[in-house]
Amino acid sequence: LVALDRATGRLLWINHLVHQLGGEIPKWGYSASPLVADGRVYVDVGGSGDHGVVAFSREDGKVIWHKGSYKAGYSSPVKLTLAGTPQIVFFTAKGAVATRPKDGEVLWEAPWQISYDVSAATPLLVPPSSLFLAAGYGVGGSLYDIQREGDKIVAARRWSSPRMRNKMATSVLVGDHLYGFDEDRLTAMVVATGEVAWQHEEFGRGSLLAAGDQLVVLGEGCRLAVVKADPARYTALRPPVEVLDSGRCWTVPALANGVVYVRDLKTMKALKLAGP
């Protein structure tokens, strides 16, 4: 884990997650993005000696706090306010855990049985205080209501569904529907109940992002489309077009100023979606 000067690339500090903290590298490598918030860097380390999840100082890389024997997954931590309380939510290899940002106190846990320890999708806030979690390999998705019971915070599961198996990409919330990949089917789902509104088989395993009332969808075979976020039916505003020669695009596209950025293992491409 390194911090570099943005302008020069000069190394500011470095921590070796395995050698220094006893981290166990997940089968497919450390893949989560560190979360930088309020002067700290939060990482799902999966380390020994109570170094499951760790908060480092952004300034010098020193460990501020460390908690638990959680095994590292592939999901990136997020900072959310749930049940009126700011918290850092990690989706580890064995389930979700929320910690208090300042000292790492565990606020609640939601254990899961996750196939191959692949928790890749990021926890998704469903306002005002619910959380959607999903995993692939036959697991599916669940909606938790994060609520107070006396002086404790608990995660109460509202529903579970095998029809939103986010294998490698996080679902998005537009209005009152989730849109995401149920393994190899683009899926729209009623967020309140888990009822499937529609599914579309064309992209293989893919990823997507939301831009207003539209979805930018990138299929596994590097086919890019713009789809209306329509809870009633699948509507392609721009039908799928192959944008890279590779047969495998697993990285979520990025969108900025009307330009969408896509990549495979070898090539990155910028494509203008709209405007002159």
Side-chain angles (χ1 to χ4, degrees), residues 86-268:
Q87 48 201 268
I88 308 298
V89 181
F90 299 85
F91 192 20
T92 74
K94 302 299 182 182
V97 56
T99 62
R100 192 160 59 186
K102 68 176 182 178
D103 58 11
E105 178 186 341
V106 175
L107 300 174
W108 57 265
E109 296 185 62
W112 268 37
Q113 292 297 317
I114 303 173
S115 301
Y116 309 105
D117 294 334
V118 179
S119 51
T122 303
L124 178 65
L125 172 67
V126 178
S129 191
S130 297
L131 195 69
F132 177 70
L133 299 172
Y137 297 102
V139 176
S142 293
L143 185 70
Y144 289 86
D145 295 321
I146 312 302
Q147 55 200 27
R148 286 198 169 274
E149 290 186 359
D151 59 352
K152 296 182 179 180
I153 299 176
V154 299
R157 192 181 308 211
R158 189 192 309 183
W159 56 258
S160 291
S161 170
R163 293 276 72 84
M164 191 60 98
R165 297 164 293 173
N166 291 168
K167 184 174 182 177
M168 58 190 185
T170 307
S171 293
V172 297
L173 178 66
V174 181
D176 54 7
H177 280 69
L178 293 165
Y179 298 89
F181 275 88
D182 176 27
E183 290 283 356
D184 58 356
R185 296 179 177 93
L186 182 63
T187 300
M189 175 177 281
V190 181
V191 71
T193 64
E195 177 187 359
V196 172
W198 53 259
Q199 292 192 308
H200 181 77
E201 299 181 22
E202 184 178 8
F203 294 100
R205 296 176 180 89
S207 60
L208 77 168
L209 58 86
D213 62 353
Q214 298 179 7
L215 309 172
V216 179
V217 182
L218 182 63
E220 184 175 30
C222 300
R223 300 173 73 230
L224 185 73
V226 179
V227 177
K228 186 177 180 181
D230 185 347
R233 65 187 62 83
Y234 171 83
T235 304
L237 302 177
R238 295 193 179 190
V241 175
E242 186 175 300
V243 291
L244 289 170
D245 294 334
S246 169
R248 181 174 292 178
C249 284
W250 282 10
T251 302
V252 181
L255 178 66
N257 302 317
V259 177
V260 62
Y261 300 87
V262 298
R263 76 171 182 91
D264 59 12
L265 287 175
K266 296 181 178 180
T267 305
M268 186 174 186

Side-chain angles (χ1 to χ4, degrees), residues 34-57:
L35 170 65
V36 180
D38 304 322
R40 298 181 180 187
V41 183
Y42 301 94
V43 181
D44 184 6
V45 172
S48 60
D50 212 32
H51 285 83
V53 295
V54 180
F56 301 88
S57 166

